[in-house]
Amino acid sequence: MTSESLEPAAVTGPARRTVMAAVGAAGVAVALTACGSKDNSSGSSEVKPGGQDGGSGGAAAGPVLARTADIPEGGGKVFADQGVVVTQPVAGTFKAFSSKCTHAGCAVKRVSDGVINCPCHGSQFSAADGSVKKGPATKPLPAAEISVDGDSIKLV
């Protein structure tokens, strides 16, 4: 009887755990890349009449949300059913943001004097870029995409 070893031959290459960790890390990297968005540090979507939005890429817009005359200069209007607020911070420039406050998720209710107001805890946001003007919110309102064609404002 020979005294051959009954133990399995040594396995060469990476351990199963190492392979699984590498696959998991690659999956996370892919997911994070897919979640990336275009660089828009102001968080706003600026649209000027005539559809001059700086690159909507010709995306089809939905039904008319409002007329440009419906959005007061220095103010705005909340469209609760669509979950957006449209502002006109300066004459002829229209912006749109989510109407959901970034503090506790309440719906903003009013826009006046260049400020979007949330009634729940008093957060205020800039009508020009959605940034926080007064807390407790710490994050700006996310931009919403609109198009302006003539006197029609549409969600994209």
Side-chain angles (χ1 to χ4, degrees):
M1 193 167 186
T2 63
S3 63
E4 285 186 28
S5 172
L6 296 177
E7 295 190 24
V11 177
T12 60
R16 183 175 185 271
R17 286 186 197 141
T18 304
V19 171
M20 294 308 289
V23 169
V28 169
V30 168
L32 289 175
T33 300
C35 290
S37 64
K38 63 183 177 182
D39 183 20
N40 188 353
S41 58
S42 71
S44 66
S45 178
E46 179 175 346
V47 180
K48 295 181 180 177
Q52 302 165 348
D53 62 0
S56 68
V64 173
L65 181 64
R67 300 284 174 208
T68 55
D70 297 338
I71 312 301
E73 184 180 343
K77 186 172 180 182
V78 178
F79 297 90
D81 290 346
Q82 291 80 11
V84 298
V85 55
V86 177
T87 66
Q88 184 179 189
V90 296
T93 299
F94 298 88
K95 307 261 184 142
F97 308 96
S98 168
S99 63
K100 184 176 179 181
C101 179
T102 57
H103 170 244
C106 296
V108 299
K109 295 289 183 195
R110 183 172 52 84
V111 184
S112 61
D113 299 323
V115 177
I116 302 167
N117 298 282
C118 179
C120 292
H121 301 106
S123 291
Q124 296 180 338
F125 304 90
S126 168
D129 62 10
S131 64
V132 177
K133 293 186 73 81
K134 178 183 169 199
T138 59
K139 295 180 183 175
L141 292 175
E145 197 169 346
I146 57 173
S147 68
V148 179
D149 187 15
D151 69 345
S152 297
I153 300 173
K154 298 178 180 183
L155 280 173
V156 176

